[in-house]
């Protein structure tokens, strides 16, 4: 009586064995595909970063930045002069 159960059990194991390499192959293929996708995304990200850096370097020149800083400095000097004049008026009066 137990022989029938053993044969029935081994029959189910024999049906599963052909699918094990298939599952391993599918898993390995998925891992390789995922790895390649992430590699391509990393490569694309570095290229976009390079393009952004080139755009920024070309878009704002050093001369334009220097002119903007000079204008800001002149405005700050004017504000400082006005604050000094107000402080001197309050101290005198």
């Amino acid at each position: 009586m137990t022989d029938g159960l053993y044969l029935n059990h081994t029959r189910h194991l024999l049906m599963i064995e052909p699918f094990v390499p298939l599952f391993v192959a599918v898993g390995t293929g998925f891992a390789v595909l995922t790895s390649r996708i992430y590699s391509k995304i990393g490569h694309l990200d570095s290229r976009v970063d390079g393009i952004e850096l080139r755009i920024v370097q070309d878009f704002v020149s050093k001369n334009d930045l220097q002119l903007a800083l000079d204008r800001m400095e002149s405005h700050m000097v004017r504000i400082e002069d006005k604050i000094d004049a107000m402080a001197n008026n309050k101290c005198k009066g």
Side-chain angles (χ1 to χ4, degrees):
M1 180 142 183
T2 59
D3 291 339
L5 290 175
Y6 177 74
L7 289 175
N8 192 21
H9 178 71
T10 57
R11 189 176 316 138
H12 289 297
L13 286 178
L14 292 176
M15 292 176 65
I16 293 173
E17 285 180 2
F19 294 107
V20 171
L22 179 67
F23 291 138
V24 170
V26 168
T28 303
F30 183 73
V32 167
L33 182 64
T34 303
S35 173
R36 284 189 180 180
I37 288 172
Y38 283 122
S39 171
K40 294 287 184 182
I41 289 173
H43 180 68
L44 182 63
D45 188 39
S46 66
R47 288 180 61 190
V48 168
D49 288 344
I51 290 171
E52 287 176 350
L53 183 60
R54 257 187 286 149
I55 288 172
V56 169
Q57 287 174 344
D58 293 342
F59 187 74
V60 179
S61 68
K62 289 182 181 180
N63 291 335
D64 291 340
L65 181 62
Q66 188 61 45
L67 289 173
L69 289 176
D70 289 342
R71 287 182 59 201
M72 189 182 323
E73 184 180 359
S74 68
H75 287 294
M76 295 299 283
V77 168
R78 284 181 38 215
I79 291 171
E80 288 174 354
D81 290 341
K82 287 180 182 180
I83 291 173
D84 288 340
M86 289 171 55
N88 286 337
N89 286 339
K90 288 196 177 206
C91 289
K92 289 180 184 178

